[in-house]
């Protein structure tokens, strides 16, 4: 009798498992989709809100802790929906290498000049890389969602979550955003990516702020290319209505 009761209980447990496990998975997927949709909506709302403003973007490039260039652009969204940039003023260029007087010096000078040119190209690519990720393209968010390359984890239960996208722009990269649930707002963004090769690791840390009307924007983005000892800082400030 006891054996029959035990077998009956096992059958009931197995039956409930067959029913409840898919329901749990579906609930988790629905919750994930909700948070991804909230993040996408927050990005779109930020871009829509910023269309009413112009602001100053200051890009500072540093090599081994030394400032190599500072560029300022007046930014605003054009009719095509893309950010337009008008140079404001460049800081004084860094001091040039002293010209070499002898043959050995000239050869050394050419080597230094070549390395400097290569490093300048890398710096330009690093600056361009920032703008590939910030602001994130809503279409790529949707693509990652459809491709199931998304993970959602709670940071503070029912208050803050982290939404992570794998292979967001490049193979092997990781784009993650910390999102406030109520009200829905982007708190920060962190990116692990690469430039020339996957061994050439680069990180981006993006802080967000809000304008008086509630529009969220990336206030400071810091790119670190540790292998090259390069840091790029992009700051957005001075927002005013168009």
């Amino acid at each position: 009798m006891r054996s029959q009761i035990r077998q009956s209980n096992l059958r009931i447990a197995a039956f409930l498992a067959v029913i409840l496990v898919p329901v749990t998975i579906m609930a988790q997927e629905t919750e994930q989709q909700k948070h991804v949709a909230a993040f996408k909506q927050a990005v779109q709302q930020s871009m829509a809100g910023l269309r009413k403003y112009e602001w100053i973007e200051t890009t500072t490039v540093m090599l081994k802790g030394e400032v190599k260039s500072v560029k300022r652009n007046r930014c605003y969204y054009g009719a095509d929906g893309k950010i337009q940039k008008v140079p404001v003023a460049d800081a004084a260029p860094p001091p040039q290498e002293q010209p070499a007087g002898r043959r050995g010096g000239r050869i050394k000078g050419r080597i230094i000049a070549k390395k400097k040119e290569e490093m300048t190209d890398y710096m330009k690519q690093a600056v361009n890389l920032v703008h590939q990720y910030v602001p994130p393209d809503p279409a790529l968010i949707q693509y990652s969602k459809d491709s199931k390359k998304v993970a959602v984890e709670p940071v503070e239960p029912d208050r803050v979550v982290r939404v992570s996208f794998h292979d967001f722009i490049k193979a092997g990269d990781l784009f993650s955003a910390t999102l406030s649930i109520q009200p829905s707002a982007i708190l920060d963004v962190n990116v692990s990516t690469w430039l020339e090769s996957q061994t050439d690791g680069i990180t981006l840390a993006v802080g967000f702020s809000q304008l008086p009307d509630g529009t969220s924007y990336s206030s400071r983005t810091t790119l670190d290319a540790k292998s090259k000892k390069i840091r790029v800082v992009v700051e957005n400030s001075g927002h005013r209505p168009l």
Side-chain angles (χ1 to χ4, degrees):
M1 184 68 178
R2 289 180 180 177
S3 175
Q4 291 177 344
I5 293 174
R6 188 180 299 110
Q7 289 179 357
S8 176
N9 289 339
L10 288 173
R11 284 195 294 268
I12 292 172
F15 176 75
L16 290 175
V18 170
I19 294 177
L20 294 179
V21 169
V23 171
T24 302
I25 294 173
M26 288 177 62
Q28 290 174 343
E29 289 180 349
T30 301
E31 191 73 7
Q32 183 186 81
Q33 291 175 359
K34 181 181 74 174
H35 292 314
V36 174
F39 174 61
K40 179 183 175 183
Q41 184 179 18
V43 170
Q44 291 174 322
Q45 287 176 342
S46 171
M47 295 171 71
L50 286 173
R51 281 180 168 82
K52 300 180 291 185
Y53 291 90
E54 65 175 18
W55 65 94
I56 299 296
E57 175 194 80
T58 304
T59 302
T60 305
V61 180
M62 290 168 279
L63 174 63
K64 298 180 181 178
E66 180 183 349
V67 175
K68 292 297 180 180
S69 71
V70 179
K71 295 186 177 181
R72 300 173 71 236
N73 291 314
R74 182 173 69 89
C75 301
Y76 59 93
Y77 276 91
D80 59 356
K82 297 180 180 180
I83 296 178
Q84 309 298 311
K85 299 185 180 184
V86 181
V88 176
D90 289 348
Q96 300 295 318
E97 299 288 342
Q98 293 296 323
R102 297 182 181 276
R103 184 167 179 265
R106 288 197 298 270
I107 293 173
K108 183 179 179 181
R110 285 198 294 269
I111 293 172
I112 292 174
K114 184 178 180 181
K115 286 184 177 180
K116 184 177 180 181
E117 182 180 349
E118 290 174 352
M119 192 57 65
T120 300
D121 289 341
Y122 188 94
M123 290 176 182
K124 289 179 180 178
Q125 292 179 53
V127 171
N128 290 334
L129 187 67
V130 171
H131 298 298
Q132 289 183 47
Y133 288 95
V134 185
D137 186 342
L140 289 178
I141 296 173
Q142 184 63 43
Y143 177 78
S144 295
K145 176 185 173 184
D146 295 341
S147 303
K148 298 186 183 301
K149 293 185 176 183
V150 182
V152 176
E153 58 179 321
V155 177
E156 296 180 28
D158 301 321
R159 292 184 59 190
V160 180
V161 297
R162 182 174 293 111
V163 185
S164 301
F165 303 87
H166 300 270
D167 303 330
F168 189 65
I169 291 178
K170 297 186 175 188
D173 71 0
L174 177 64
F175 179 104
S176 63
T178 307
L179 188 69
S180 169
I181 298 176
Q182 290 294 337
S184 180
I186 304 169
L187 302 179
D188 62 50
V189 163
N190 288 277
V191 180
S192 175
T193 185
W194 50 275
L195 193 53
E196 295 179 339
S197 69
Q198 291 196 31
T199 58
D200 179 26
I202 288 177
T203 61
L204 278 77
V206 188
F208 280 76
S209 299
Q210 285 190 330
L211 297 173
D213 66 355
T215 298
S216 178
Y217 69 98
S218 57
S219 53
R220 181 184 174 94
T221 300
T222 302
L223 175 148
D224 275 311
K226 292 184 178 179
S227 63
K228 302 289 186 180
K229 298 182 180 179
I230 289 176
R231 170 170 286 189
V232 179
V233 178
V234 180
E235 295 175 290
N236 296 308
S237 60
H239 292 73
R240 62 180 186 180
L242 285 169

